[in-house]
Amino acid sequence: MTISYVPLAMFGVLFAVLALGIPIAFSLCFISIIFAWSLWGFGGVSLLTTAVWGTMNNFALIAVVLFVYMALILQKTRVVEDIYDACYKWFGGVRGGLAVTTIVVGAILGAVSGVVAAGVIGLGLIGLPQMLKYGYNKKVSLGSVLAGGTLGQLIPPSTTMVVYGAITGVSVGGLFAGGITCGLFLAFLYCVYILTRSFLDKGFCPALPEEDRATFIEKIKSSKGIILPTILIFLVLGSILSGAATPTEAAGVGVAGALMLGVMSRRLTWKMVAESAWETLEITAMVGWIVAGALAFGSVFSGTGGNQLVMTIATSLPGGRWGVFIAANIFVFFLGMFLEPTAMIMLAAPILSPLMTKMGFDPLWWGLVFMMLLQMAYISPPFGFSLFYLKGATPKDIDISDIYAASVPFMGLQILAVILLAFFPEIAVGLSKLLT
């Protein structure tokens, strides 16, 4: 084996180790140490610790901890239920209305918390039983929960955007601005698909019976459940986009706002505060190990000529820079079938982001395309995380194969969205340019 092919061997060993069931974080650490030791000796291992230490001291990553804590507080104080109840009463009388409600609520939850697990599980427990109760098509019911729940990865405040920005140097504020338009655009495509299918097939997603529809007074009363979360969204995103606060500072504002919402609704308890803190510790510790392992892996990959190898392969592809763009999309999609999204960012972003910039693409635009591909990774079989989040929140008669099948149409819509971003880049970067 020549040194130029060591990077390829690293990826081959990585997938072999993952096939054995070893967690991704420890797989990355183990492979990095073995390759560094065998190639460079003890000094090579010390380089890994230096690289990890430097990135883990990045102040922007604190936002991940705070946004996760905010999401858990909102979940435990049943803000999700209030938002769904209001949207359910307003849209339930329309054919496909409950599925559209699920998408809309997913978008709102994304803007409130930015944590995918909270969105998918919350919608799975609250929205899915309602859709199945009223005779909605099983696949669109499951698919709308998957698609709506994962919008939190794209619509800010998104923890994955914070990680991507910290690793690549792309403005987190720019990613957040682009995430708003990309997320709303994707939600729009979902709703158009659902409403079109419902219009063409009356039995696909039937409207609620007259006796089960909310009165106008009930709709107005339920709207108060959206007012305070909307104010929180404007506080968090407004402070970032206006330049009044950094993403990390805005995350602190979000935590304070979530706690205030809990107090005002009289649902917050000290037990919830403590449980949320411990769960945040568990989640961020897992993210920390993934970041450390991926950084170590990336350092060895780069040190063995991996970046140069990727550039050589890219420049030999047919189709010029668009051939490279298509290959990069396929590569990220392939990784998404097997890896956790944070690990994908840490592995692929340091390789692809400089490459795409050299090919003449706007780094912010590519970052938003990358985020769209991560959105797809969450629901792509066989190991998309949202597939298993939803399985844990569904009745026993729903098999994992049903969830796999339900994800396919929405993955198709995500591919369509990426294609449209390629033809109309202003969808992604227009708002960011307007604010700068």
Side-chain angles (χ1 to χ4, degrees), residues 251-296:
V253 172
V255 170
L259 292 170
M260 288 178 62
L261 281 180
V263 171
M264 294 173 68
S265 65
R266 298 183 180 180
R267 296 171 182 169
L268 186 69
T269 64
W270 284 111
K271 182 180 179 181
M272 290 179 184
V273 173
E275 286 179 348
S276 298
W278 277 110
E279 289 176 31
T280 300
L281 180 62
E282 292 174 358
I283 293 170
T284 52
M286 176 190 70
V287 172
W289 273 110
I290 292 173
V291 169
L295 278 168

Side-chain angles (χ1 to χ4, degrees), residues 343-396:
M344 285 176 60
I345 294 174
M346 302 303 300
L347 284 175
I351 300 170
L352 296 179
S353 184
L355 172 64
M356 301 305 285
T357 302
K358 288 181 181 179
M359 289 290 164
F361 293 105
D362 181 349
L364 175 60
W365 173 82
W366 166 249
L368 291 164
V369 171
F370 193 100
M371 289 297 114
M372 193 77 79
L373 294 170
L374 281 189
Q375 172 89 4
M376 200 184 307
Y378 268 104
I379 68 171
S380 61
F383 299 119
F385 270 46
S386 291
L387 302 172
F388 298 103
Y389 292 150
L390 180 56
K391 183 64 179 78
T394 56
K396 293 182 178 179

Side-chain angles (χ1 to χ4, degrees), residues 294-319:
L295 278 168
F297 188 94
S299 297
V300 179
F301 181 87
S302 178
T304 56
N307 291 348
Q308 184 59 44
L309 179 62
V310 170
M311 180 62 71
T312 301
I313 294 173
T315 54
S316 66
L317 291 173

